Amino acid sequence: MRDVAIIGVKNTKFGEMWERSFRDIVVEAGVGAIEDSGVSGDRLDGMYVGNMSGGQFVEQEHIGALIADYSGLALDLHVPSTRVEAACASGGLAFRQAVMAVASGHEDIVMAAGVEKMTDVSSTGASSALAAAADREWEGIMGATFPGLYAMVARMHMHQYGTTSEQMAAVAVKNHKNGSMNPIAQYKNPITVDSVLNSIMVADPLHIFDCSPITDGAAAVVLAPADVAHEYTDTPIYIKATAQASDTIALHDRRDITTLDASVSAGKRAFEMAKMTPADIDLVEVHDCFTIAEICAIEDLGFAKKGEGGTMTEEGETAIGGKIAVNTSGGLKSCGHPVGATGIKQVVEVTQQLRGEAGGRQVDGAEVGMTHNVGGSGATAVVHILARER
Amino acid sequence: MRDVAIIGVKNTKFGEMWERSFRDIVVEAGVGAIEDSGVSGDRLDGMYVGNMSGGQFVEQEHIGALIADYSGLALDLHVPSTRVEAACASGGLAFRQAVMAVASGHEDIVMAAGVEKMTDVSSTGASSALAAAADREWEGIMGATFPGLYAMVARMHMHQYGTTSEQMAAVAVKNHKNGSMNPIAQYKNPITVDSVLNSIMVADPLHIFDCSPITDGAAAVVLAPADVAHEYTDTPIYIKATAQASDTIALHDRRDITTLDASVSAGKRAFEMAKMTPADIDLVEVHDCFTIAEICAIEDLGFAKKGEGGTMTEEGETAIGGKIAVNTSGGLKSCGHPVGATGIKQVVEVTQQLRGEAGGRQVDGAEVGMTHNVGGSGATAVVHILARER
């Protein structure tokens, strides 16, 4: 297997983009990543696109070919393009497929993109579409949507470990602070613990400020074999590990609902592949679809002891400048969560941090970063480790 | 890159399965393929699942994890499972990803599956869902569905090359004859040219017997590195080539609507990879979503000269025992077309032929076979070449 490097990245603005279409935003991301890489578009050997539900959100499937077409890569070049889906982990899995395509030698210059256009349906329609990431026959059909599922996780975490609503609110406060320094973020307004606790209740104990929003957005990266990456960029970022794991799709079938075993498994496999431990990681983008999810994630990945994620957050250890910088982009909570794009946006953020291009939210001396992308309530998890040094 | 072999295969029955669920049928295929391979299920390193639109057909996305879960591979084993989508080429692309995963050395024993449950919505709902494989903004929104798009291809082929309705009907007659010998086929009734020409018109010049049906079904194969394949089976089938290409998603943007450039490109790349020519192929499963599509396919892949696909079919050269056996399974037309499963079913059919297990529809002495799977009206094409000899 060949080593693989990132040579170009691009996020679109994340937010409610009423005036733009699905294909507009993904082409902006793709063309931007190509420009950033310095590679000519006609050098692309393949594309992988993460998208959860074009079918339900914009009545469009066959996303891979659509994007190759609108990027000018289909008519004459016939570049193969493959859509990958694993609910909110679709972007992370698209990146993983792209890494494997280059590592295998099947393809050299490959794009991984992610996109979701979620505001073309009503918010009820969006909730219903998102519920298709859970177990339709045992969860969705009973009326369970994701705020309810993660509320159960939160209640159990509070019961077992004494985690508090204030600790969950601290996740949102930190991520909004980080997001306020991210030009692409959907929400750039700093918030306080009180504003979270006083916001309307969505599914007790989760307030609306504990929840990530409905978002339009796209992100893309360009990959190359590590041996040639320096031909395109002075700051290639190397992929040290890619790991993916599955768990039961329904929450009630899990061993323990406060632990996402898929995250634990993918994290362990990634650390083994990179020959690293959590102490080697300078920053991590975790999947904070709800504030409780970030607390679980830092525990499941080994950055906090089980049950101590809330305390660690409240004490500022996950802030920029803390023990481990978590969600410097603002995370899903503040940067926004276009579900198919999130996994790629995480890779873009870590790449910009390792390049030293993260502006006000830069983690000083960042050498190694991680991404953690989750599908549904944890039935899919995918973890990547990226580094400045090969 | 490592050589890769097929060690197990399984198709479910194809048809209208009102009494069975999406997850039932795909688990039947997956477990069947594992049993056929002789490998223990806990040896699986990864799964790839082709599915066009669980979201629209059964309100279920996150198909990969769902299937790992219901196959018993998620709770303790956490086997990574990835859904791949390219409309009706979803199965072919899932197979391709699985081949690349094994070839790369990332994974050893890998399953590729395909599934679609299309009869849980109305036929209008199914047509609407399928139209999401075309260009929603320029085709679907104007009312164009696939019979209309392929009718335009047929009209142009008739105009340019003198292809007749009788020649198109001959495709259906041949495929129903083949399907009548396939235990899994949706339609096992032989038909005549007259019965095609007298069937109701769907989109002039395509009669309903020129169209593939709405179908439920699943299929699965198990792959292993070629070096160890003989540990599991006496008749491994080797993958000699995997190739994929894109074209414009809208028909009106094509260079020539009677030629699917993605098929031409994927076919050429496959022949180059395998160091073969059309003369080396004993049988081919092509994507006959409409009868005209089979005529285009055998031309685009080089089995017929341009414009002569209709004549060749009418003269029996594509029948079992003819110059090149086309769609021994009965094709999409008679075997049925559960859109996400079709690309895998094609691989199962060719494997069974090369193993000599195809019963009444066996091609004598078959050594090399090809599969050709198309998404939409040709925006994605994927071609595989399989052989008895490594």
Side-chain angles (χ1 to χ4, degrees), chain B residues 49-94:
Chain B
V49 182
N51 173 256
M52 174 179 162
S53 196
Q56 295 183 92
F57 286 121
V58 292
E59 298 183 315
Q60 179 71 66
E61 311 278 3
H62 210 174
I63 306 299
L66 176 83
I67 293 171
D69 182 11
Y70 276 77
S71 307
L73 300 172
L75 185 60
D76 295 316
L77 297 167
H78 306 301
V79 174
S81 183
T82 299
R83 174 199 174 189
V84 175
E85 186 267 331
C88 307
S90 299
L93 262 57

Side-chain angles (χ1 to χ4, degrees), chain A residues 11 13-14 175-188 285 328-331 334-335 345 349 352 358 360-361:
Chain A
N11 288 325
K13 176 89 182 69
F14 278 20
N175 289 354
H176 271 252
K177 184 178 176 191
N178 293 351
S180 73
M181 298 179 282
N182 188 351
I184 70 146
Q186 181 164 8
Y187 299 126
K188 296 197 185 68
E285 289 280 304
T328 57
S329 72
S334 161
C335 191
K345 182 220 73 175
E349 173 68 15
Q352 290 175 333
R361 63 189 196 286

Side-chain angles (χ1 to χ4, degrees), chain B residues 126-191:
Chain B
S127 286
S128 173
L130 290 169
D135 188 326
R136 176 62 67 173
E137 292 186 14
W138 292 97
E139 294 179 327
I141 226 165
M142 309 301 171
T145 56
F146 279 97
L149 294 170
Y150 274 94
M152 288 192 276
V153 172
R155 269 281 167 242
M156 184 65 89
H157 207 281
M158 295 167 90
H159 173 73
Q160 288 184 345
Y161 303 111
T163 299
T164 64
S165 289
E166 287 74 11
Q167 290 170 347
M168 291 189 275
V171 172
V173 171
K174 168 184 67 70
N175 290 352
H176 271 252
K177 183 178 177 191
N178 293 350
S180 73
M181 297 180 283
N182 188 351
I184 71 145
Q186 181 165 9
Y187 299 126
K188 296 196 184 69
N189 56 315
I191 57 174

